[in-house]
Amino acid sequence: MSGVSVVILGSANVDVIIELDRIPGPGETVLTDASDRGRGGKGNNQAIAAARAGAPTVFLGAVGADESGDFLLEAQREAGIDVTHVRRIEDAPSGTAYVMVDSRAENAIVVVAGANGQLLSLTDAEREVLRGADALLMQLEVPMATVLEAAAQTKRAGGYVVLNAAPYAELPDELIANLDLLMVNEHEAALAAGRSGTPEELAATIGERVPDVLITLGAAGSLLQRRGSDPVRINAPKVDAVDTTGAGDTFAGAYVAATVAGLPEQGRLEYAAAAAALAVQRPGAVASIPRADEIQDAVRRYFA
């Protein structure tokens, strides 16, 4: 397949968004009359973020042969994503995420995998797509065996392989060997490093196994550690957050789009940080993801 820039392998979910004053504790019932339905799933979010950020994007994933699947694919098509190879699963519903958002814009999420769990191996057509990718971005909301296979296929063909290790799981040596960049938040970084420490210390430890490490630090910014180079760290723009749901996915998709566009390290981080800063000022996951012209304007405002 020719003309491919970014391939996203991952999950697609319908989000049921529940707004609360506070997220309930164990055994507690909290009442609300504020709820909504949207599109989400880390793979879906990152694919739309990459496409809106300007990268030609192909999505590999699975949705149910149901109205929810139609709902998810409609947004991907609107973003300009190639959905030719998205599987429609007859005997499993589309994935669903229940997202609780409190008055401080913090969230808690429960995901029912549904069709995402049926992505057990790659087809020949999917392998062909991966062989044509400039970059592959994956997460861990689909079966690990497929993540392993996709990383190996892309690496053999010379593509740049990125794993956003969320939700965190132990990373097999076989997967580590095929990664160019591991992207994690600070909590995931501590798990990957097997220790606590500063972001710089965690990145150095992880960097013994992975060529490049990118740690997102929320409101504190992000840190990129490339093997053999000094770390690059930027501060996040100061904004008033409305909803942090999907902000990390927006950062990931925008970062990979900036990478295939050839931006330098600092520029990639600034582009991704500006995209995430715009996203947290809007409600929802997919609905909050900005477009390339908005991101470029925000880079000039936040980092000039």
Side-chain angles (χ1 to χ4, degrees):
M1 185 173 183
S2 61
V4 175
S5 254
V6 176
V7 174
I8 311 290
L9 172 74
S11 60
N13 297 320
V14 172
D15 287 348
V16 178
I17 304 158
I18 305 162
E19 298 178 17
L20 303 158
D21 289 335
R22 58 185 176 81
I23 294 169
E28 183 180 11
T29 299
V30 176
L31 299 179
T32 183
D33 58 4
S35 66
D36 199 2
R37 180 176 184 249
R39 287 109 166 171
K42 297 191 74 63
N44 175 67
N45 296 347
Q46 292 179 15
I48 290 177
R52 289 186 182 170
T57 302
V58 178
F59 182 65
L60 300 181
V63 298
D66 51 20
E67 184 276 335
S68 291
D70 296 337
F71 180 65
L72 290 164
L73 293 180
E74 177 185 32
Q76 291 195 5
R77 292 189 184 100
E78 287 176 355
I81 296 167
D82 183 341
V83 298
T84 304
H85 301 283
V86 177
R87 304 184 198 181
R88 302 301 299 264
I89 306 298
E90 295 287 345
D91 55 356
S94 296
T96 304
Y98 298 90
V99 183
M100 293 180 286
V101 181
D102 71 14
S103 59
R104 298 173 301 167
E106 296 297 330
N107 63 69
I109 304 171
V110 176
V111 177
V112 181
N116 297 302
Q118 302 299 307
L119 201 69
L120 297 171
S121 63
L122 297 173
T123 66
D124 288 343
E126 290 164 346
R127 294 185 188 100
E128 182 64 23
V129 170
L130 291 165
R131 285 192 287 269
D134 292 327
L136 167 67
L137 173 59
M138 306 176 291
Q139 323 76 36
L140 296 175
E141 288 185 338
V142 298
M144 180 65 81
T146 309
V147 172
L148 288 166
E149 186 180 1
Q153 287 285 337
T154 306
K155 187 70 171 179
R156 278 197 295 270
Y160 188 72
V161 180
V162 181
L163 176 68
N164 174 214
Y168 189 78
E170 279 300 316
L171 305 179
D173 290 341
E174 177 187 352
L175 177 57
I176 290 287
N178 287 313
L179 295 183
D180 292 296
L181 172 67
L182 180 66
M183 187 182 301
V184 285
N185 63 26
E186 199 164 6
H187 171 70
E188 294 153 356
L191 294 173
R195 53 169 291 189
S196 59
T198 66
E200 289 80 4
E201 290 168 342
L202 297 175
T205 299
I206 299 167
E208 295 171 3
R209 302 178 66 202
V210 182
D212 296 349
V213 181
L214 200 171
I215 302 178
T216 57
L217 304 167
S222 59
L223 170 74
L224 175 65
Q225 175 68 69
R226 304 194 72 183
R227 186 171 290 169
S229 301
D230 292 332
V232 178
R233 184 165 181 171
I234 66 163
N235 295 320
K238 302 300 182 186
V239 299
D240 294 324
V242 172
D243 181 1
T244 59
T245 306
D249 295 331
T250 299
F251 184 101
Y255 182 86
V256 173
T259 299
V260 299
L263 269 64
E265 295 169 2
Q266 182 92 9
R268 298 175 199 177
L269 292 174
E270 291 177 355
Y271 194 79
L278 292 172
V280 301
Q281 296 177 74
R282 307 167 179 174
V286 166
S288 71
I289 297 171
R291 301 185 184 278
D293 57 344
E294 298 177 290
I295 301 170
Q296 291 158 2
D297 288 343
V299 169
R300 289 190 285 268
R301 289 201 312 273
Y302 295 141
F303 295 105

